[in-house]
Amino acid sequence: TPMNAIIGLDTLALHDAGLSEQTRDYLEKIGASARHLLGLINDILDMSRIESGRIMIRSEEFSFAQMLAQVNTIISGQCRDKGISYECQVKGAVGDYYIGDEMKLRQVMINILGNAVKFTPSGGTIACSISEMADDADMGAYEIRVQDTGIGIAPEHQDKVFERFYRVDKSRSKSTGGTGLGLAIVKHIVAQHDAELVLESKEGVGTEIRVYF
């Protein structure tokens, strides 16, 4: 709550037409830092809820198209700021309305895509696709696929990147930021939905993460 108040007041202050360029720069940096800190706080709180068994999966109707538009707004902005090409496609007969937990699905997509942004250098590409699959009890009916041309993950690290606080390269943690909890949260949410999570990566080439639900 305090962080949301800080972000809200900062946004209001930025609408003041009489701001000097220096003050506007300060306020923009305050806003960016506050949003980053809010993300860290939310990750830690989510992991705490998961570990204590207090995380609940909702079952309610939501607009898939609206949820996806929100995700794309966030990720396309991050990619634009970093000079990364981003594309998202919906393939096949993906419906507009579903029954499920919209917030958790959005969190899964933002965490996976946000991780791709962190580890894809300027000039790289990130592609996201959502497609209908044959109805299969083992694999699920839909696939979310995220591909990037980032730094990739060596084979010995691929089973560990979904662990809490795990860093493939600790020397990069300062430049990439984050808590090291994003993919761990994804793994728990996917497991709670009885879905499947697949990672394929090649060091120096890129990474692909698929979620079947």
Side-chain angles (χ1 to χ4, degrees):
T1 300
M3 290 306 304
N4 282 315
I6 291 169
I7 293 169
L9 290 170
D10 179 77
T11 302
L12 288 173
L14 281 167
H15 283 87
D16 186 345
L19 288 176
S20 68
E21 286 302 313
Q22 186 178 49
T23 301
R24 182 173 299 278
D25 182 56
Y26 291 159
L27 287 171
E28 288 174 349
K29 288 177 179 176
I30 287 171
S33 296
R35 286 187 290 274
H36 178 65
L37 181 55
L38 182 61
L40 300 182
I41 292 169
N42 284 335
D43 280 352
I44 292 168
L45 290 174
D46 283 341
M47 185 53 66
S48 176
R49 293 186 188 101
I50 287 169
E51 291 181 334
S52 64
R54 291 186 291 112
I55 192 167
M56 301 293 293
I57 301 298
R58 298 178 181 273
S59 182
E60 54 193 13
E61 186 180 84
F62 69 94
S63 168
F64 186 87
Q66 186 176 14
M67 182 278 297
L68 186 60
Q70 293 170 353
V71 170
N72 285 335
T73 297
I74 294 169
I75 299 302
S76 61
Q78 293 178 3
C79 288
R80 184 171 57 251
D81 292 343
K82 198 174 176 181
I84 297 170
S85 173
Y86 174 65
E87 180 182 18
C88 182
Q89 292 185 328
V90 175
K91 302 177 180 178
V94 177
D96 186 38
Y97 286 91
Y98 286 91
I99 301 295
D101 194 320
E102 176 186 7
M103 186 177 71
K104 296 294 187 302
L105 179 58
R106 182 169 60 241
Q107 187 174 16
V108 164
M109 293 192 67
I110 289 174
N111 283 9
I112 293 174
L113 285 162
N115 202 69
V117 174
K118 284 181 186 178
F119 297 102
T120 300
S122 176
T125 62
I126 297 174
C128 174
S129 65
I130 298 93
S131 55
E132 184 183 28
M133 302 182 63
D135 191 5
D136 184 301
D138 294 327
M139 297 296 285
Y142 296 93
E143 176 196 69
I144 297 173
R145 181 189 297 256
V146 175
Q147 299 169 292
D148 67 59
T149 58
I151 61 175
I153 306 167
E156 63 269 23
H157 295 293
Q158 291 181 17
D159 290 335
K160 300 177 181 179
V161 294
F162 294 99
E163 296 177 3
R164 295 177 307 150
F165 306 115
Y166 187 80
R167 299 278 188 179
V168 172
D169 183 355
K170 293 180 175 60
S171 66
R172 294 179 59 91
S173 61
K174 289 184 179 179
S175 61
T176 57
T179 58
L181 291 173
L183 291 183
I185 291 170
V186 166
K187 180 181 178 181
H188 281 281
I189 293 175
V190 168
Q192 286 188 316
H193 280 83
D194 294 322
E196 183 173 353
L197 183 64
V198 178
L199 179 145
E200 294 181 2
S201 185
K202 187 174 181 180
E203 200 169 12
V205 176
T207 300
E208 177 178 291
I209 294 179
R210 302 188 300 275
V211 180
Y212 300 97
F213 65 98

